[in-house]
Amino acid sequence: MKSDSSQPKTSGPTPQIKPDLDGSIKDLSLPEMEKKLESSPDGLTQAEAAKRLVQYGPNEIEEKKTSSLLKFLGCFWGPIPWMIEAAVVLSAIAKHWPDFGIILLLLVANAVVGFWEEHQAGNAIEALKAKLASKARVMRDGKWVTPASRELVPGDVIRMRLGDIVPADARLLDGDDVEVDQSALTGESLPTTRASGEAVFSGSIIRRGEISALVYATGDKTYFGKTARLVQEAHTVSHFQKAVLKIGNYLIVFAVVLVLLIIGVAVYRGDPLLTTLQFALVLTVAAIPVAMPTVLSVTMAVGARLLAKKEAIVSRLVAIEELAGVDVLCTDKTGTLTQNKLTLGDPFCIKDASAEDVVLFGALASRKENNDTIDLAVLAGLKDANALDGYQVLHFQPFDPVHKRTEATVKDKDGKQFRCTKGAPQVILALMANANGIKAQVDKAVNDFAARGFRALGVARSDGQGPWQFVGVLPLFDPPREDAKTTIATAEQMGIKVKMVTGDALAIAKETAKKLDMGANILDAASLGDPKTWENKEVADSIEKADGFAQVFPEHKFHVVEVLQKRGHIVGMTGDGVNDAPALKKADCGIAVSGATDAARAAAAIVLMKPGLSVIIDAIKESRCIFQRMNSYAIYRIAETLRVLLFITLSILVFNFYPLTAVMIVMLALLNDGAILSIAYDNVHYKNQPEAWNMRLVLGIATVLGIIGPIAAFGLFFLGDRVFHLDHPHLQTLMYLMLSVAGHLTIFLTRTRGPFWSIRPAKILWVAVLGTQISATLIAVYGLFMTPLGWAWAGLVWGYALIWFLVNDGVKLLAYRVLDPIKTEGTT
């Protein structure tokens, strides 16, 4: 089969084009533009494109980036750094130089750790996003190649089709009109029609048709680049992050209230105001969750890298939390539940047409270079590999959601022209003048194929511009994926209802659902009513109870998501087409499946790099593990803050005794924050139910642990003060070591719902905690910035802390039974 495409011309010498093309180039006629760019419909050579890439720069909008130095200095700016800096200044004024040195070290250490981890997290996300870099079909050296869109240069000839995002400003070459969605640029809700010679702009989406175009502007020189050069993507805060940040605000307020109480009592007692103020500031710093932003970003970034290993690329980090809460997953059938490897069966023929004729005309209405699975299956059904050699395709109309068929105008070896088309049988029947005469036969054939799990394609032809004649029906079979049945069963065990959403006929959907044990309640999307109007309770109930939906159009997907969300469900939706984008954006977690169009990938929060449902389930499992780590951190952070603040405040108010020095509080906070970062890598067990932020449970468990802690601390305080009669400096060192050891052991309490040994901690967490506690013990034993305690007392503290650790674990288990008596199998 021949196609109308001329051979490329040999490129001439390098054009002397100024890097900054005159802005009026877009107003030139197409021949003038080709002359100006020294290009043609045959495109450029690879060597010429490489020269122009150096000349014009990459086809991307350069982000406004802050220098690393300014980012590092920014770590010293804000409410939390201000408090630490105030403590440094007060220490200098009071000439408490040990305090000054340690607090300054805390300030710098927090800045370095925060800057480095944010830097690493940023690099990780950039690396992941690089995997999603869009590609363009470009004519280079006379061949269509697919380099990254950033490599486009003025003068390139590109090919765009349904679902593609226009990669650069370009002028359309010869071909049919296309419909372009420019809503991202102009706000226009309806697509606009663009004809040959007219311009299309970077960032718009091809909604119908396919065509070649000549690139005339790239990167910052595009219409989009000029208007959005300094616009950065808004940062979205997830529900979970908001909840954790609320915890942080609560802790700050709690700390400030207790600190003000300490200052008021100190003033009443006549204590030195400067020393009291310095101590109060340091105590506030220790209570504030300084590491919270870093722990959040590191945990999310680590989680994104883990998901990437499972072939799920997270384009927005906050999607991890949403994915953990998904309880309804609406998944497409083809390629996700099935293998997307279509094979052609024996055709159904009308009248005098033979099976070979049906396949031949279907193949002529297909295009191999589009790499479409249906087209490839039809072409593969030709018994003679050379059957198309005598035909020349004069014009090809690709599939689009409006016409729902492909059409080709063909000239045979005798010079006669005819048309052939293929598409959904009901669409092809609608073209027939005498459809009523054959409709019953066609419907029976389609239903028979569907009952066996076959998808049907109608095929028709016409002579010249004459009436269409129905030729026959092509059956296509797409077998279920081998892992689909097991994966769906796993999803059900995890509390996720999987609903099939397919454009196939109802009989095919039911047959597929039957093979996968998904349930038989498959609804025809036509029964859902008008998606643009609010449905009644009966329809909403049917959507919620359905196992799947057949003959679905894109607007139905959006409607299904909206109804389920209004019923209180967290909905995941898969999609691959340009018209799936609204539903992917509407869903709590939009998932672009493998092979999705650029538009679908841009709208989705997660992009899958391999086909199948199992990768989605793996991603949900991983996201629930990430949620568990964040949950553990929240409980730990609240419990620790309550423990330290209550113990110090009650010691000052009741015993008029400062149990820790300012330096000790700073070192306590420093070691705490250093170890807790490792929780991002901890071993956890995901829940077999969707995650939801249970603030009552988190605050309840944290409060119980936060109250038990001071009781244990006062027990040791009593032993040291009244039984062993230690002097105050030794008693302070004793309490410092107790708070440090017991505090870090709390991590092993909050990370599991069951007994502390129920889940083995990750090696990195174990090493981090052990390392910080060895450091804390050596500091206390040998007296770095404090009175030396000695090994005997250090051993006593460790033994005492371990005994209370076992007691606390029992209390924790009891608290869970009281606060959350229904324990789900598999929870942490």
Side-chain angles (χ1 to χ4, degrees), residues 674-690:
I676 197 61
L677 284 172
S678 61
I679 204 168
Y681 301 88
D682 191 23
N683 296 328
V684 292
H685 291 171
Y686 65 85
K687 283 187 177 181
N688 274 335
Q689 61 187 33

Side-chain angles (χ1 to χ4, degrees), residues 410-694:
V410 184
K411 182 167 69 173
D412 65 17
K413 57 187 176 183
D414 297 326
K416 294 181 180 179
Q417 289 190 21
F418 62 94
R419 293 179 297 160
C420 44
T421 184
K422 75 176 192 308
Q426 65 269 27
V427 173
I428 304 301
L429 275 174
L431 300 174
M432 306 296 114
N434 60 340
N436 291 334
I438 59 173
K439 188 175 186 304
Q441 299 177 61
V442 173
D443 286 346
K444 183 178 185 304
V446 170
N447 290 334
D448 288 344
F449 284 139
R452 292 157 51 200
F454 283 84
R455 182 177 181 177
L457 279 179
V459 179
R461 65 157 287 168
S462 74
D463 294 319
Q465 296 299 317
W468 288 102
Q469 299 294 324
F470 201 96
V471 179
V473 179
L474 292 174
L476 296 166
F477 179 63
D478 184 11
R481 293 180 62 86
E482 294 179 0
D483 61 347
K485 187 173 182 179
T486 305
T487 304
I488 290 170
T490 302
E492 295 284 350
Q493 293 171 2
M494 294 170 61
I496 303 169
K497 174 61 180 176
V498 180
K499 295 178 183 285
M500 179 196 300
V501 182
T502 179
D504 284 345
L506 183 62
I508 295 176
K510 285 187 174 182
E511 180 67 19
T512 304
K514 179 181 177 182
K515 291 179 179 178
L516 297 175
D517 291 341
M518 293 186 68
N521 186 19
I522 308 295
L523 301 181
D524 188 329
S527 68
L528 303 181
D530 184 359
K532 297 178 182 178
T533 60
W534 173 242
E535 67 293 321
N536 56 40
K537 184 178 183 300
E538 184 179 350
V539 173
D541 287 342
S542 68
I543 290 175
E544 188 173 26
K545 294 175 182 177
D547 298 313
F549 309 91
Q551 297 185 163
V552 170
F553 288 98
E555 56 268 26
H556 292 129
K557 281 191 172 186
F558 188 94
H559 185 54
V560 166
V561 171
E562 188 174 42
V563 170
L564 292 172
Q565 287 176 330
K566 288 180 179 179
R567 288 295 179 101
H569 296 284
I570 304 297
V571 183
M573 169 65 78
T574 70
D576 61 355
V578 59
N579 285 338
D580 291 331
L584 292 176
K585 276 191 174 181
K586 176 67 176 173
D588 296 287
C589 189
I591 303 167
V593 298
S594 175
T597 60
D598 289 345
R601 285 153 61 121
I606 292 177
V607 180
L608 305 183
M609 305 304 286
K610 70 176 183 181
L613 185 64
S614 61
V615 64
I616 302 176
I617 302 303
D618 285 344
I620 291 175
K621 290 177 182 178
E622 192 58 53
S623 66
R624 290 185 183 181
C625 289
I626 295 164
F627 193 99
Q628 285 292 320
R629 295 183 187 106
M630 301 303 294
N631 193 66
S632 300
Y633 170 71
I635 297 175
Y636 165 78
R637 184 68 263 179
I638 299 170
E640 269 304 281
T641 301
L642 290 175
R643 193 169 67 95
V644 173
L645 281 179
L646 287 174
F647 174 66
I648 293 177
T649 302
L650 290 175
S651 297
I652 295 171
L653 297 181
V654 178
F655 300 102
N656 193 21
F657 172 67
Y658 285 76
L660 300 177
T661 64
V663 170
M664 290 175 180
I665 294 175
V666 171
M667 294 178 73
L668 197 65
L670 187 62
L671 292 173
N672 244 323
D673 290 346
I676 197 61
L677 284 172
S678 61
I679 204 168
Y681 301 88
D682 191 23
N683 296 328
V684 292
H685 291 171
Y686 65 85
K687 283 187 177 181
N688 274 335
Q689 61 187 33
E691 290 285 7
W693 183 246
N694 190 339

